[in-house]
Amino acid sequence: MSDRTDTPSRARRILVIKHGAFGDFIMALGAFQALRRHHEGDHLVLQTIPSLAPLARASGWFDEVWTDPREKGLRALLAIRRQIKGGRFDLVYDLQSSDRTGLYFQLLRPFPPRWSGTAWGCSDPDPNPARNATHGTDRYAMQLATMGITHVPPPDAGWISADISRFALPDRYVLLAPGCAPHRPEKRWPETHYADLANRLAARGITPVLVGTKSEAETTTAIAAACPQAIDLTDKTSLFELGGIAREAAGAVGNDTGPMHLLAVAGCPSVVLYSHASTPTQSGQRGPKVTILREPDLKDLPVERVEAALLDLAGL
């Protein structure tokens, strides 16, 4: 079914809703590209969370980027209602399709715009009965297909890049991303294993480069202390610089964390480590060269296995 109307001469106003988290946003890049191409000539607006707004603006795929801090309380909900109603949208693609965005739809009654998503009573409900068990990239593509957008390309992350000369990185280096959400320690490969891997790489003449956020500094500092040849870039790179660093890296090893999605789509040969706490079929990193290793308890994943997977994938 096409979502085109009988008045092609009028530029329509289209709202796309996609909040977070960062990995989910990266999984939606192909859908964003497809929407921009399909709605060429229309006014395309993205509503996302404040931390992702700069990335969305830099993509060039949206005419406007709105922020939704997702605050609680009636006042916050009414502010979002005013924002969406004031946009006078002809069509909304709710790629987030959460309970919260479903509530947004209900607040727009009695005359909501045409709405693609899972909100009760919306005009174009996503018919996928296994939506929540479907990988994010596939989930968005299947939703758009019901709206007549049948081709969703692989994510183009070439624009997520920057000059990285200030880091003066060596010719051969491998990125290590040993962190993840602080409240999910079960998703972390032990830092002693990362330190062992870092020393093995250094012995091969490959420099380990540690990346992560400030909240992961305790882990990366411990690994750097155990491997003097390692370079610690924790909390020193922007997302755009991280994309540039990924393109020059020989490979990467990391836990199931958002930055690994970026490294993977940037084309960096990536080995991603999964425990029982997350499901690769639903949220696994995708890219030209990705290997996923999974153990119920990551303490049981041997360093030798990870090293071998990296050397094989990256051709080192």
Side-chain angles (χ1 to χ4, degrees), residues 42 48 53 73 91 93 162 171 194 207 242 244 289:
D42 290 333
T48 190
L91 174 61
Y93 294 95
D171 291 337
Y194 274 107
T207 303
L242 185 59
K289 290 187 176 183

Side-chain angles (χ1 to χ4, degrees), residues 281-314:
T281 55
Q282 296 178 15
S283 59
Q285 288 72 10
R286 290 187 177 180
K289 290 187 176 183
V290 177
T291 293
I292 290 177
L293 301 180
R294 194 178 191 200
E295 283 288 340
D297 189 329
L298 279 175
K299 292 194 298 291
D300 299 328
L301 180 60
V303 177
E304 293 83 1
R305 184 179 169 198
V306 175
E307 181 187 25
L310 174 65
L311 297 177
D312 180 63
L313 183 67

Side-chain angles (χ1 to χ4, degrees), residues 7-300:
T7 57
S9 60
R10 182 178 74 87
R12 295 180 304 160
R13 292 184 58 81
I14 311 296
L15 175 64
V16 181
I17 303 176
K18 187 71 195 84
H19 298 151
F22 178 64
D24 296 325
F25 192 87
I26 295 296
M27 286 190 282
L29 293 183
F32 295 157
Q33 292 170 245
L35 284 165
R36 177 72 280 175
R37 183 175 57 246
H38 186 76
H39 287 286
E40 183 181 3
D42 290 333
H43 192 83
L44 201 60
V45 179
L46 175 72
Q47 184 199 75
T48 190
I49 56 177
S51 62
L52 293 174
L55 196 64
R57 293 189 178 103
S59 72
W61 294 326
F62 302 99
D63 299 292
E64 291 183 68
V65 176
W66 292 356
T67 58
D68 179 357
R70 297 184 295 181
E71 296 174 346
K72 296 180 180 180
L74 181 60
R75 179 176 297 181
L77 290 171
L78 291 178
I80 292 298
R81 178 180 183 270
R82 287 193 299 271
Q83 183 190 64
I84 297 177
K85 283 185 70 70
R88 298 183 179 276
F89 293 107
D90 299 284
L91 174 61
V92 176
Y93 294 95
D94 180 8
L95 299 185
Q96 191 68 24
S97 285
S98 62
D99 291 341
R100 185 180 181 91
T101 59
L103 179 58
Y104 292 174
F105 173 80
Q106 304 305 331
L107 290 172
L108 296 172
R109 289 183 182 276
F111 303 111
R114 187 176 178 188
W115 190 285
S116 166
T118 60
W120 181 84
C122 70
S123 60
D124 297 89
D126 182 356
N128 179 9
R131 178 185 174 93
N132 291 336
T134 303
H135 190 279
T137 299
D138 300 329
R139 180 168 68 244
Y140 305 135
M142 293 168 71
Q143 180 178 344
L144 296 190
T146 68
M147 302 296 290
I149 305 174
T150 57
H151 176 62
V152 175
D156 173 13
W159 50 276
I160 308 178
S161 191
D163 181 3
I164 61 170
S165 59
R166 72 184 182 94
F167 299 111
L169 293 171
D171 291 337
R172 287 214 309 170
Y173 61 89
V174 163
L175 301 175
L176 301 182
C180 70
H183 64 285
R184 301 297 300 277
E186 68 278 11
K187 295 175 67 174
R188 293 179 182 238
W189 200 39
E191 66 182 46
T192 54
H193 288 21
Y194 274 107
D196 188 355
L197 177 62
N199 281 305
R200 289 167 181 253
L201 292 171
R204 293 178 179 273
I206 303 168
T207 303
V209 175
L210 297 157
V211 295
T213 63
K214 188 176 182 178
S215 66
E216 296 152 356
E218 183 177 349
T219 296
T220 53
T221 298
I223 296 168
C227 178
Q229 297 93 332
I231 297 174
D232 190 358
L233 296 184
T234 305
D235 200 37
K236 296 178 181 177
T237 66
S238 68
L239 287 176
F240 297 94
E241 288 172 329
L242 185 59
I245 290 170
R247 286 180 180 81
E248 300 298 324
V253 175
N255 304 324
D256 172 29
T257 184
M260 288 303 297
H261 285 274
L262 173 57
L263 303 186
V265 300
C268 181
S270 301
V271 178
V272 194
L273 314 179
Y274 275 74
S275 72
H276 65 89
S278 48
T279 308
T281 55
Q282 296 178 15
S283 59
Q285 288 72 10
R286 290 187 177 180
K289 290 187 176 183
V290 177
T291 293
I292 290 177
L293 301 180
R294 194 178 191 200
E295 283 288 340
D297 189 329
L298 279 175
K299 292 194 298 291
D300 299 328

